Amino acid sequence: MTHTNWIDLFQQVLQQLPLTLVMIVLSLIFAFILGFFLAVIRIKQTKVLAPLVRLYISFMRSTPLVLQLFLVYFALPQLLLFVHIDINHFSRLFFVILAFSLHSAAYLCEIMRAGYLSVPYAQIEAGLSVGLSYPRILKDIVIPQALRNSIPNVTTQIIELIKDTSLAFTIGIIDIMGQVQLIIGNNYGLGMFQVYVVIAMIYWALALIVQGVFTVIYKRAERPYQV
């Protein structure tokens, strides 16, 4: 393959990059919101909700994402019809974002909970002993350290989500992986090596960007706590 053809191939695949980025960003936003509330329930050990959250997390972490995607896309609309709610006309993008959000929220919940628990309780007691309110302790002591301690795991989860978006094409979403399948199909399987090299380079580049950004954030967040 000539240099020009490689450039054309990158351009063809990158045409669908905006859609992939939309899936990643929206899924992350909703996953962080849901994960936060799930983490609060887990930390507070709410009697009724905590067992349900543990069951939810166990299911999400123990079943393949592609199965969860199919359940959301094929099974959920059928279940909702029993209560006279019809979502069959919703965009496929809606189902993809919903599935990815639900999946990532289970992991982010545990990351947030672990970050909170990583802060020694003695620091909370010390804050209370000098007259600080619990919300003030959370704001000034617990949350900054919990966020800093969670950055490596959050980085890993975001990179996992980037890779997971490659499953969206299984329900007909033409993102960068879907575009690859179209290119291969239109060329009757010819040039598969070049196409897969291109898509691998794109996913790798996205992961490196995320890793680089969060490495900078982690180093900056670490400074105030250096002795």
Side-chain angles (χ1 to χ4, degrees):
M1 208 172 220
T2 65
H3 178 69
T4 303
N5 285 333
W6 279 103
I7 293 176
D8 290 342
L9 201 51
F10 269 102
Q11 289 177 340
Q12 289 181 57
V13 176
L14 288 174
Q15 285 177 1
Q16 300 303 323
L17 180 60
L19 179 57
T20 298
L21 294 178
V22 167
M23 287 192 297
I24 294 169
V25 172
L26 291 181
S27 296
L28 274 177
I29 291 172
F30 294 127
F32 270 110
I33 294 172
L34 177 58
F36 171 78
F37 286 108
L38 295 177
V40 170
I41 293 171
R42 290 275 280 141
I43 292 168
K44 289 183 173 294
Q45 287 296 310
T46 309
K47 289 184 179 180
V48 178
L49 296 178
L52 294 177
V53 171
R54 286 198 298 269
L55 183 64
Y56 167 80
I57 292 172
S58 176
F59 177 81
M60 287 296 175
R61 297 177 68 176
S62 304
T63 56
L65 176 55
V66 66
L67 173 61
Q68 296 168 21
L69 179 57
F70 288 159
L71 287 174
V72 169
Y73 184 62
F74 294 109
L76 181 61
Q78 300 305 312
L79 289 174
L80 290 179
L81 284 177
F82 285 107
V83 291
H84 307 291
I85 299 176
D86 185 8
I87 62 172
N88 284 293
H89 59 284
F90 282 19
S91 166
R92 291 175 181 176
L93 186 60
F94 166 82
F95 294 102
V96 165
I97 292 173
L98 177 60
F100 291 161
S101 298
L102 293 174
H103 178 82
S104 296
Y107 289 88
L108 289 172
C109 164
E110 291 301 277
I111 291 172
M112 293 178 191
R113 186 174 75 94
Y116 175 85
L117 296 177
S118 69
V119 180
Y121 189 72
Q123 295 190 24
I124 298 177
E125 291 179 327
L128 292 172
S129 67
V130 296
L132 295 178
S133 65
Y134 187 69
R136 177 74 180 275
I137 293 172
L138 286 178
K139 175 178 175 293
D140 294 340
I141 300 176
V142 177
I143 292 179
Q145 294 184 73
L147 288 175
R148 183 198 62 186
N149 296 340
S150 299
I151 287 175
N153 290 329
V154 169
T155 303
T156 300
Q157 188 54 41
I158 293 175
I159 292 174
E160 286 297 320
L161 178 59
I162 291 172
K163 295 186 292 183
D164 289 341
T165 58
S166 63
L167 295 173
F169 85 93
T170 59
I171 64 169
I173 296 289
I174 308 300
D175 62 333
I176 54 177
M177 180 58 78
Q179 184 76 343
V180 162
Q181 301 304 315
L182 285 179
I183 294 171
I184 292 174
N186 292 337
N187 289 282
Y188 304 101
L190 298 177
M192 290 178 63
F193 170 75
Q194 292 89 338
V195 176
Y196 285 129
V197 167
V198 166
I199 192 65
M201 295 297 290
I202 292 173
Y203 278 117
W204 190 14
L206 290 174
L208 288 175
I209 291 171
V210 170
Q211 190 172 5
V213 168
F214 278 90
T215 297
V216 172
I217 293 174
Y218 183 76
K219 288 180 177 179
R220 289 185 177 180
E222 199 175 26
R223 290 174 188 168
Y225 301 98
Q226 292 178 343
V227 178

